[in-house]
């Protein structure tokens, strides 16, 4: 019997979906947005109290159509890969991922109470001149339910060959990733002056690469190699990920780069010591913005003196 503990990824019972009178199991793509577990629990509690609203069917397509559209990997409700020979037992959920998981949790309770399980109603969708990723992104964007991290993930799925989007998808702050980076910090690290905005990401989710009357590129100028080098340098000298995700360090790096040049900025960061880090922290060992600014001024003067004494320009 399935449990309603949501801390595990393998605790959902299979939920039955009514597809034109035929019962199927729920299949999902690997690029659907991450499950918001508190939201699933909330929906499940409402289902316990009121049942499943018949006027809220989920949207599905047949696994045969999914294959024809290039989807060769499907996962079940417990994120396990479905063997190709069992595809026919499933339908692929386009819209209703959270409701499907909530119905599964509710069914676990219904079984314990000796009550009939929920069978989720569905509408089978015909895709018209669009890919599965485009459809999933569009229906979620128009509902205005996505957070910035959802838009990042959606854009990265539509454009899998754009390295900046893949980098953002891997690093972005999201539910269950405490050491993730806010979008604004990623923009500072990889793009410098102008980065990706939420409106940019929405356009990318629709498959667009240009914006405005002058048809500007949506993807801004960026340097992944230099951005990665900055992050790794901070890690190498002992900064915690929670420190690097704040904008304090990248702001000081950019100031040094403008004032003294990029080589000087990296040189200074590479020479940061444990005592330097301590001088920038508050009592609970978190970076303090005022202390960061003050100590970087001291480190800057220290390095300039050393370079002058050693004859380095």
């Amino acid at each position: 019997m399935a449990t309603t503990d949501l801390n595990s990824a393998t605790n959902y019972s299979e939920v039955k979906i009514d597809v034109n009178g035929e019962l199927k199991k729920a299949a999902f793509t690997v690029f659907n947005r991450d499950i918001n577990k508190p939201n699933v629990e909330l929906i499940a509690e409402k289902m316990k109290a009121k049942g499943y609203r018949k006027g809220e069917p989920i949207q599905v397509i047949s696994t045969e159509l999914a294959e024809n559209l290039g989807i060769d990997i499907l996962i079940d409700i417990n994120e396990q890969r479905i063997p190709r020979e069992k595809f026919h037992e499933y339908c692929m959920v386009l819209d209703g991922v959270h409701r499907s998981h909530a119905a599964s949790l509710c069914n676990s309770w219904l079984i314990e109470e000796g009550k009939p399980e929920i069978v989720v109603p569905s509408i089978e969708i015909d895709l018209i001149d669009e890919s599965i990723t485009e459809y999933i992104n569009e229906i979620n964007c128009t509902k205005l339910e996505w957070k910035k991290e959802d838009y990042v993930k959606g854009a990265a799925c539509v454009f899998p060959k754009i390295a900046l989007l893949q980098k953002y998808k891997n690093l972005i702050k999201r539910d269950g990733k405490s050491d993730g980076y806010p979008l604004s910090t990623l923009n500072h690290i990889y793009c410098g002056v102008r980065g990706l905005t939420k409106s940019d990401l929405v356009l990318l989710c629709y498959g667009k690469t240009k914006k405005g009357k002058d048809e500007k590129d949506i993807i801004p100028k960026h340097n992944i190699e230099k951005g990665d080098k900055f992050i790794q340098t901070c890690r190498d000298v002992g900064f915690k990920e929670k420190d690097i995700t704040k904008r304090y360090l990248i702001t000081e790096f950019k100031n040094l780069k403008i004032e003294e040049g990029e080589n000087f900025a990296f040189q200074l960061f590479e020479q940061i010591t444990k005592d330097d880090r301590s001088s920038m922290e508050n009592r609970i060992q978190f970076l303090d913005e005022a202390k960061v600014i003050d100590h970087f001024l001291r480190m800057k003067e220290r390095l300039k003196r050393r370079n002058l004494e050693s004859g380095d320009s």
Side-chain angles (χ1 to χ4, degrees), residues 175-213:
D175 292 337
K177 185 176 174 61
S178 59
D179 59 350
Y181 289 68
L183 179 62
S184 60
T185 303
L186 290 174
N187 282 333
H188 279 284
I189 291 173
Y190 289 99
C191 303
V193 179
R194 185 184 73 84
L196 287 168
T197 66
K198 184 176 179 180
S199 60
D200 290 336
L201 292 165
V202 171
L203 290 173
L204 288 166
C205 286
Y206 280 110
K208 299 182 183 297
T209 58
K210 306 284 185 180
K211 65 177 181 179
K213 294 180 180 179

Side-chain angles (χ1 to χ4, degrees), residues 27-283:
F28 308 90
T29 66
V30 293
F31 51 77
N32 271 108
R33 61 176 170 159
D34 296 332
I35 296 295
N36 184 320
K37 293 183 179 181
N39 191 32
V40 169
E41 287 185 315
L42 179 62
I43 297 171
E45 289 300 318
K46 290 180 179 179
M47 288 182 184
K48 288 180 185 180
K50 300 180 180 180
Y52 191 102
R53 297 180 186 275
K54 298 299 182 182
E56 296 180 354
I58 65 173
Q59 297 181 26
V60 303
I61 61 171
S62 68
T63 50
E64 180 182 6
L65 176 56
E67 280 192 284
N68 291 339
L69 291 171
I71 302 297
D72 57 358
I73 298 178
L74 289 172
I75 55 176
D76 64 19
I77 201 165
N78 290 309
E79 300 183 10
Q80 301 302 304
R81 185 166 179 172
I82 301 169
R84 186 69 65 87
E85 63 270 17
K86 292 190 176 182
F87 273 19
H88 66 280
E89 299 176 10
Y90 294 79
C91 62
M92 192 184 117
V93 178
L94 294 176
D95 180 45
V97 175
H98 287 83
R99 279 174 285 162
S100 300
H101 285 73
S104 172
L105 291 188
C106 186
N107 280 342
S108 298
W109 174 78
L110 290 170
I111 291 171
E112 293 172 359
E113 296 293 311
K115 298 178 180 180
E117 296 179 54
I118 290 172
V119 175
V120 179
S122 74
I123 296 175
E124 191 169 10
I125 301 299
D126 289 324
L127 298 181
I128 303 173
D129 296 328
E130 58 190 335
S131 70
I132 290 174
T133 53
E134 288 172 336
Y135 185 85
I136 290 175
N137 287 327
E138 183 171 342
I139 58 178
N140 282 286
C141 289
T142 54
K143 287 182 177 179
L144 300 177
E145 294 176 350
W146 276 13
K147 300 177 183 177
K148 288 179 182 178
E149 55 266 32
D150 296 315
Y151 288 112
V152 168
K153 188 174 180 181
C157 290
V158 175
F159 295 102
K161 295 183 179 180
I162 296 181
L164 183 68
L165 294 177
Q166 302 309 313
K167 180 64 64 175
Y168 276 33
K169 183 186 76 169
N170 292 333
L171 293 177
I172 193 76
K173 185 176 182 178
R174 59 182 181 270
D175 292 337
K177 185 176 174 61
S178 59
D179 59 350
Y181 289 68
L183 179 62
S184 60
T185 303
L186 290 174
N187 282 333
H188 279 284
I189 291 173
Y190 289 99
C191 303
V193 179
R194 185 184 73 84
L196 287 168
T197 66
K198 184 176 179 180
S199 60
D200 290 336
L201 292 165
V202 171
L203 290 173
L204 288 166
C205 286
Y206 280 110
K208 299 182 183 297
T209 58
K210 306 284 185 180
K211 65 177 181 179
K213 294 180 180 179
D214 50 0
E215 291 286 293
K216 284 186 178 180
D217 289 332
I218 294 175
I219 299 297
K221 291 181 180 180
H222 57 277
N223 193 315
I224 291 176
E225 182 180 355
K226 295 286 178 63
D228 286 348
K229 182 180 178 180
F230 168 79
I231 292 175
Q232 191 58 52
T233 301
C234 290
R235 291 169 176 167
D236 289 344
V237 298
F239 282 112
K240 305 180 187 70
E241 211 70 21
K242 66 181 180 182
D243 297 326
I244 312 172
T245 62
K246 296 184 182 297
R247 288 168 57 175
Y248 308 153
L249 296 179
I250 186 58
T251 297
E252 293 306 313
F253 180 86
K254 289 168 66 177
N255 290 340
L256 288 168
K257 182 179 175 181
I258 292 169
E259 296 165 5
E260 306 292 339
E262 187 176 279
N263 289 338
F264 183 94
F266 273 118
Q267 186 184 14
L268 185 147
F269 267 74
E270 288 165 358
Q271 295 183 15
I272 291 174
T273 66
K274 182 178 179 181
D275 288 339
D276 289 326
R277 296 198 317 272
S278 297
S279 297
M280 293 183 261
E281 294 175 342
N282 57 24
R283 290 181 303 168

